[in-house]
Amino acid sequence: MQHGQWTFSLFSDGVIALDGGASFGIVPKPLWEKQVAADDRNRVPVALRCLLAEGHGRRVLIDTGIGDRWDARQRDIYGMQRRAGQLLTELEAAGVPRPSITDVVLTHLHFDHVGGACLDLANGMSPAFDTARWWVQRQQWEWAQNPSERDRVSFRSEDFEALADTGRLELIDGPAEIIPGLRLHPVHGHTPGMQIPEFFTGQGVVVFLTDLIPTTAHLHLPWIAGFDLNPLLSLSEKRQLLSRAVEDDYILVFQHDPRHEACRVEFQDGRFRARIAGTLDEVAGTAGAGA
Ligand SMILES: [Zn+2]
């Protein structure tokens, strides 16, 4: 999808299943199951999407999927449906070999975002994109070394510790424009120092929502996953981003929504909701009311 000075494409590292209750926080099941059906273990499907953005001579990958280093028991717990090396295979098939990636933005270091960052080679863990620069908020990097008991299960240090030895790990302090038009916007309610990539393309704004708003259902402000460490902060961060998104008719890209890749939003009857949702191409092809 061409948009101003950038081109965007989505790649999948498969689908997992997470507990429906945890995915929707305090929202009662009779409400959330109208949006998404649970399986016989009360789990809901969670897409693992990564965004490839090309512009200004750079090829930027946002997040790296869940990766291959999972045993049979873990694959069962997380209901993993993916092929070995799926993300890398999809990139290769699209004419995007690993050495052509110039930059990898890690929104945060939870295992379903950074699991594919490193490969388990004979001589130890090694970055999958071995010529890329890696962009992480310093606050998230430090939190991931020493998480709380509550979120420790979400981090596996072997996913990312090898990045520290590359000389290409860029730890960022706060908001940053790392390439012209690509701004990283830190938010802290889900986990301290998560960063939201926002592309100001010259034709509009494209935002990769990561875990701030994982699916269309989570556009409604009080629908916040139980995983978020500081839900009241997530609430205000969602309100702030969605207000901008309505005002300037942003294209919002979902990492985890199995049905919709993207949407544009409106504020109607006291709540935020999708004005249009669908594939990234479909959503990009619609001009907004104010555009
Ligand atoms: Zn997360």
Side-chain angles (χ1 to χ4, degrees):
M1 186 271 281
Q2 174 83 36
H3 202 262
Q5 294 159 357
W6 288 85
T7 304
F8 300 94
S9 34
L10 287 167
F11 293 88
S12 171
D13 200 39
V15 178
I16 58 173
L18 293 178
D19 184 78
S23 298
F24 290 102
I26 61 167
V27 179
K29 185 174 181 184
L31 292 183
W32 62 253
E33 73 178 349
K34 289 180 189 167
Q35 302 290 325
V36 55
D39 70 9
D40 58 359
R41 291 156 74 176
N42 205 46
R43 300 175 303 184
V44 296
V46 173
L48 300 175
R49 247 176 234 121
C50 302
L51 179 68
L52 182 74
E54 298 170 87
H56 300 277
R58 306 277 276 273
R59 205 167 224 185
V60 185
L61 182 66
I62 313 289
D63 283 346
T64 62
I66 200 165
D68 288 335
R69 290 171 294 98
W70 299 92
D71 64 28
R73 180 176 154 276
Q74 293 166 323
R75 287 172 200 273
D76 175 61
I77 289 172
Y78 293 113
M80 287 185 200
Q81 299 174 47
R82 62 186 294 281
R83 299 183 298 279
Q86 181 164 338
L87 174 66
L88 298 179
T89 307
E90 286 199 7
L91 287 168
E92 189 80 36
V96 185
R98 289 194 278 132
S100 71
I101 300 288
T102 61
D103 303 84
V104 182
V105 172
L106 296 170
T107 61
H108 60 305
L109 300 174
H110 285 168
F111 61 70
D112 55 326
H113 298 256
V114 72
C118 294
L119 300 174
D120 194 358
L121 303 179
N123 55 349
M125 300 299 289
S126 178
F129 306 96
D130 44 13
T131 53
R133 281 199 278 173
W134 298 80
W135 302 89
V136 188
Q137 288 285 322
R138 184 186 307 277
Q139 193 175 357
Q140 173 66 184
W141 181 266
E142 290 176 353
W143 182 268
Q145 318 294 322
N146 191 23
S148 73
E149 286 90 344
R150 185 166 187 263
D151 64 335
R152 182 161 294 159
V153 68
S154 300
F155 296 100
R156 304 190 308 169
S157 57
E158 66 273 23
D159 283 342
F160 49 82
E161 61 191 4
L163 302 177
D165 305 325
T166 61
R168 293 186 308 279
L169 175 63
E170 306 277 355
L171 295 178
I172 314 166
D173 296 299
E177 182 165 356
I178 61 168
I179 299 168
L182 168 50
R183 301 181 196 168
L184 301 176
H185 171 66
V187 288
H188 308 287
H190 179 65
T191 180
M194 185 167 80
Q195 53 187 356
I196 301 201
E198 304 186 348
F199 295 87
F200 292 73
T201 70
Q203 191 184 320
V205 182
V206 178
V207 176
F208 191 70
L209 293 168
T210 182
D211 283 351
L212 181 63
I213 302 174
T215 75
T216 318
H218 295 87
L219 289 168
H220 190 32
L221 289 179
W223 287 42
I224 293 170
F227 305 113
D228 286 26
L229 295 181
N230 190 336
L232 288 180
L233 192 50
S234 295
L235 182 78
S236 69
E237 290 166 347
K238 284 172 66 175
R239 190 196 315 277
Q240 192 261 6
L241 177 66
L242 288 171
S243 300
R244 285 195 282 131
V246 170
E247 182 83 9
D248 288 330
D249 202 32
Y250 289 2
I251 295 170
L252 302 179
V253 181
F254 295 110
Q255 188 158 23
H256 289 316
D257 191 322
R259 284 186 300 172
H260 303 302
E261 291 177 354
C263 77
R264 296 181 194 261
V265 287
E266 63 184 3
F267 188 75
Q268 285 288 334
D269 305 322
R271 62 189 286 173
F272 291 100
R273 61 188 180 200
R275 179 167 66 71
I276 174 175
T279 67
L280 183 54
D281 282 335
E282 287 167 355
V283 172
T286 61

